[in-house]
Amino acid sequence: MTYFRAPTSFLPPLSILSTHTTASIQDALQDLKDLYFATALPPKRTLSINAVPALKQDISDTVHVPRPKRTGRLNHSDGVPDSGYASEDDEAELDGDLESDAEDLDPDVLRSNELERNFSIKWLTGLIKRSDTWTHVLDIAPEEDHIRLVVIEEASKLLARFSSDDEQQEDALTRQFIFPFGTGGEPIMIELNDAPLTATDHTSVGLQSWASAIIFAERICTNPAQYMSIPQGVTPLRVLELGAGTGLLSITAARLLDRMGVDATIMATDYHSAVLDNLLQNVKTNNVSVQIESLDWSKPPPLEPYDVILGADVVYHPEHAKWIKNCVEKALKKGGVFWLIIAMRSSGRHEGLWETVDDAFPDGRCGFPRNEGCGGEMKLAVLQKEDVGRREGIGRADEVRYRLFEIRWLPCCYCC
């Protein structure tokens, strides 16, 4: 028999997360889905702590359950669900009472209870933050480790659903950007559709325009000669964007270069189908000449050479910087430049990921050692990097600043 219980009574305490079975966390997530996001009464099921059942219901099959108006928003100002972190001060709050008797409560009453809802959000946030202590336990089988990673992804999807707007799933948002052009002249105007994050693929973050892309787009427009330098005799200028997302950088480059009378071929790439669909819509809305292609960083095909490669906030996993380097090695002309800007996040799952860029691309500002027998070959290296401060009104709460990398082919030499 299915019971509707208060989340404070059934969510497993996170202070002993490493001791919880895979099934117990799966059951907790399923109970939250049944309570807050079920399309109909959930099927009867028996709670089990021994079996490892697959999660039966995908978030994409759910609809938002209306609830009374709340004052304020649970998510931050840019409307993008947070990665999930909780302070240690919340530890006691997140320890639910597992010994409570099961009560069959009115689900509508539970859904409208802000205390229970907020507790559920904090619990999911804490689960994601502490996931490493649960997914990488020494005494579990490798296949169990993989299942737990999938469970954490399910928790991320569920947290994103909780972070939706007050009464409806987050609607698409049309955003207009106005960037100054050079030292004067008519500003560059861009209109983009920021689509809601898809519930079936939490990695499709490209549906939103992120602060790093906005900051860099403004810089490109303000100083096009620096960021869109045109090698002598090159025509057309070839520009590639990795992880284009909503296409802000590609569309900005297209409009800017057209304004300057520069013949250019611009290619915007991403991986996720929902992102590519939204990207195509944005290109059509702005009536610019931008080609669109799917690109898997982990398995890049042979790529035509480009003069300029752009990337904004494209490092969300420790492997991403290595994959991106592999793509750039295949695609960047020897006299070209790769501009990369990433958010420096102070907490959460993406904390410190900017360091993986330093690991992937050596610092070439004073040269780097030549290996025996390398023959003075060219290597991709960081020529310049600059930290950029936050801008009021844009960016997530965990983004403390942004780091802009200028990466070029440099010859091997002895360090100065």
Side-chain angles (χ1 to χ4, degrees):
M1 180 177 180
T2 299
Y3 291 100
F4 286 105
R5 297 175 294 156
T8 50
S9 72
F10 71 75
L11 291 177
L14 296 181
S15 58
I16 52 171
L17 177 59
S18 61
T19 67
H20 296 315
T21 65
T22 304
S24 66
I25 299 298
Q26 285 181 308
D27 284 338
L29 294 178
Q30 187 64 55
D31 284 340
L32 285 176
K33 291 180 185 179
D34 291 343
L35 175 59
Y36 288 104
F37 304 112
T39 55
L41 287 177
K44 291 183 178 180
R45 64 190 180 90
T46 303
L47 298 179
S48 169
I49 61 171
N50 297 316
V52 187
L55 290 172
K56 302 182 179 69
Q57 179 185 4
D58 192 273
I59 297 291
S60 61
D61 298 327
T62 66
V63 295
H64 186 75
V65 180
R67 62 184 188 280
K69 279 276 191 180
R70 292 182 286 126
T71 57
R73 297 169 63 92
L74 290 175
N75 51 340
H76 39 75
S77 60
D78 64 359
V80 181
D82 205 297
S83 298
Y85 355 91
S87 67
E88 294 182 3
D89 294 337
D90 293 330
E91 191 76 56
E93 289 186 57
L94 297 175
D95 287 353
D97 180 9
L98 291 177
E99 300 303 320
S100 299
D101 292 334
E103 288 186 82
D104 192 8
L105 302 176
D106 185 337
D108 290 331
V109 172
L110 284 176
R111 292 180 192 122
S112 63
N113 187 315
E114 285 299 301
L115 185 150
E116 295 294 340
R117 184 180 185 84
N118 291 337
F119 180 86
S120 301
I121 293 170
K122 284 186 176 182
W123 184 85
L124 286 168
T125 296
L127 173 63
I128 295 167
K129 178 186 176 183
R130 301 166 175 82
S131 60
D132 285 349
T133 67
W134 186 68
T135 55
H136 302 299
V137 180
L138 294 177
D139 58 350
I140 63 172
E143 57 270 20
E144 183 81 358
D145 185 82
H146 174 72
I147 292 173
R148 291 191 173 191
L149 289 173
V150 173
V151 172
I152 294 301
E153 290 197 3
E154 291 292 336
S156 298
K157 296 178 187 178
L158 189 53
L159 181 63
R161 292 290 286 123
F162 270 109
S163 299
S164 61
D165 282 343
D166 286 339
E167 293 184 350
Q168 298 292 333
Q169 183 175 344
E170 184 181 5
D171 295 326
L173 172 68
T174 299
R175 302 178 70 179
Q176 188 176 74
F177 300 94
I178 302 176
F179 301 124
F181 173 54
T183 56
E186 186 178 349
I188 301 292
M189 299 182 65
I190 308 292
E191 184 176 298
L192 295 180
N193 178 68
D194 272 17
L197 293 177
T198 172
T200 58
D201 188 354
H202 78 286
T203 61
S204 58
V205 293
L207 291 168
Q208 307 280 335
S209 297
W210 295 84
S212 55
I214 298 170
I215 290 171
F216 190 41
E218 182 178 56
R219 283 196 162 212
I220 292 174
C221 291
T222 303
N223 193 351
Q226 178 179 353
Y227 299 106
M228 288 288 161
S229 56
I230 306 168
Q232 188 173 4
V234 170
T235 181
L237 181 70
R238 293 179 53 80
V239 180
L240 170 69
E241 184 178 5
L242 301 175
T246 60
L248 179 57
L249 292 184
S250 295
I251 294 170
T252 298
R255 183 145 292 167
L256 177 69
L257 293 171
D258 181 65
R259 174 82 63 85
M260 297 168 62
V262 175
D263 185 19
T265 297
I266 299 175
M267 177 70 72
T269 64
D270 212 292
Y271 178 70
H272 303 276
S273 59
V275 176
L276 291 168
D277 290 343
N278 188 58
L279 174 57
L280 177 60
Q281 177 182 335
N282 286 333
V283 168
K284 291 179 177 179
T285 297
N286 289 276
N287 192 27
V288 291
S289 179
V290 174
Q291 302 172 35
I292 298 172
E293 282 192 7
S294 175
L295 178 62
D296 183 350
W297 300 337
S298 66
K299 302 173 184 177
L303 297 169
E304 295 183 20
Y306 288 85
D307 303 291
V308 179
I309 299 180
L310 307 172
D313 222 348
V314 289
V315 179
Y316 281 89
H317 185 278
E319 293 297 315
H320 283 173
K322 296 178 183 177
W323 292 351
I324 289 169
K325 180 183 181 182
N326 187 30
C327 290
V328 175
E329 285 177 333
K330 293 176 179 291
L332 186 65
K333 290 182 180 180
K334 284 299 187 281
V337 59
F338 172 36
W339 294 105
L340 172 65
I341 185 169
I342 59 174
M344 303 179 73
R345 296 184 168 92
S346 59
S347 57
R349 299 171 65 194
H350 306 128
E351 178 183 0
L353 280 181
W354 70 83
E355 295 175 356
T356 64
V357 177
D358 293 326
D359 294 337
F361 297 92
D363 189 340
R365 287 176 291 181
C366 66
F368 41 87
R370 182 173 64 219
N371 295 326
E372 189 70 28
C374 78
E377 66 183 16
M378 306 284 280
K379 291 187 177 181
L380 282 175
V382 176
L383 184 62
Q384 298 287 341
K385 56 185 173 182
E386 176 188 355
D387 285 358
V388 183
R390 284 179 57 94
R391 291 283 300 278
E392 184 177 357
I394 63 173
R396 294 157 44 109
D398 63 328
E399 297 174 355
V400 294
R401 59 188 181 278
Y402 307 89
R403 180 161 291 174
L404 177 62
F405 296 85
E406 179 184 354
I407 298 172
R408 295 180 180 268
W409 289 105
L410 297 176
C412 291
C413 61
Y414 291 104
C415 197
C416 62

